[in-house]
Structure formats: structure tokens, C-alpha cells
Amino acid sequence: MNDYKCPQCKAYLNVSNNVIFAAEKDDGTKGLILLHPEIGNFESDQHEKFVIGEGEKVEFKCPACNANLKAPKARNLAKIEAVSEDNKVFEVYFSRIKGEKSTYTLEGESVEIYGEHSENYKDYFELGNIGLMK
Ligand SMILES: [Zn+2]
């Protein structure tokens, strides 16, 4: 399984089988969000009273240093670092909108895209001719 790191403070964000984020909703409510560590698996979990509605956008922050993980220029995406089991370092971009299934991995010039809504940001990655991989 990949390791995931904060781009700012380099803290490991994965614990057991979760990638852990501090999150904040538009109304200022804060909580923790657990994402699945397998890229392309869009399961997520949070406290039953920290309710995020379908289509709602949340801020993803590093639980260690509180850095906002918003991707530069693509305001609906969050960006973190990843290290594969064979020590390849790459970037992972994922949607901050609940229910929007779009994740991208970027290693050098190479982009892989995951999720049924990933077309939404293809311009950002200049993906004109690259098809859906998963
Ligand atoms: Zn951090």
C-alpha cells in the first residue's frame, strides 16, 4: 500500500487502513475524514455527527500542521504526496466535493485518472486525449 504525506510538513497521513485529514465545512464545523488508501476507492468515513451532504465542498487540512491542502489553481481539488511500496514519489489530487469521484496521480509528466467524474478536471491536467483508466 502507498504511504501518503503532507506536502508541507511531510507527516504521514495514513494510519492503519485510512488516510486521515482534518476537515472544515463552509459553516465552520470541523471534523476528521478518513479516506481509503487505495487510489480509485472512494469510500470515506467520518463521525456520524459530522455530516457532509452530497455535493458539499470541504477544506482538507493536514491533521499534523493544519496546512490547507487545496491544490494550486484547481480549487476543487486537494493535493498530497504519495510514496509507493517501491519508493516512487508522486502527487495525488482528489476532489474536495462529497460524492465527486475524481482522483489523479501525477508522477513527472505521467498522469493517471480515476473515477467516474474525473472528466471534470481534465483541462487542469491537459488530458484532452487520455481516456478513463478505472
Ligand atoms: Zn502537514
Side-chain angles (χ1 to χ4, degrees):
M1 195 54 74
N2 299 323
D3 274 331
Y4 298 94
K5 296 168 81 171
C6 169
Q8 296 293 323
C9 74
K10 311 296 180 190
Y12 288 106
L13 302 174
N14 50 309
V15 177
S16 299
N17 207 34
N18 298 299
V19 190
I20 301 178
F21 297 94
E24 185 172 344
K25 307 206 308 175
D26 272 352
D27 66 5
T29 315
K30 295 177 180 177
L32 298 173
I33 295 180
L34 308 182
L35 300 185
H36 199 282
E38 181 193 337
I39 293 171
N41 182 324
F42 291 93
E43 283 175 32
S44 64
D45 203 8
Q46 65 274 327
H47 192 280
E48 60 184 19
K49 291 183 180 165
F50 183 54
V51 179
I52 301 164
E54 205 65 11
E56 193 172 350
K57 183 159 74 174
V58 299
E59 301 286 346
F60 279 77
K61 295 181 178 180
C62 171
C65 76
N66 206 40
N68 195 315
L69 301 173
K70 195 181 286 182
K73 290 186 261 182
R75 300 178 58 80
N76 289 346
L77 300 178
K79 173 190 161 186
I80 57 173
E81 289 184 4
V83 185
S84 68
E85 277 178 12
D86 53 357
N87 271 322
K88 285 199 183 111
V89 178
F90 58 102
E91 294 175 338
V92 179
Y93 293 76
F94 58 94
S95 175
R96 302 195 288 115
I97 299 171
K98 173 78 171 182
E100 186 180 64
K101 296 178 177 170
S102 43
T103 296
Y104 311 80
T105 62
L106 195 61
E107 184 189 348
E109 298 282 290
S110 165
V111 181
E112 293 187 9
I113 63 180
Y114 303 84
E116 61 196 86
H117 305 122
S118 52
E119 290 279 302
N120 296 2
Y121 304 101
K122 70 176 179 356
D123 291 346
Y124 179 71
F125 296 98
E126 299 177 327
L127 283 179
N129 296 309
I130 298 176
L132 201 61
M133 297 185 70
K134 281 192 179 176

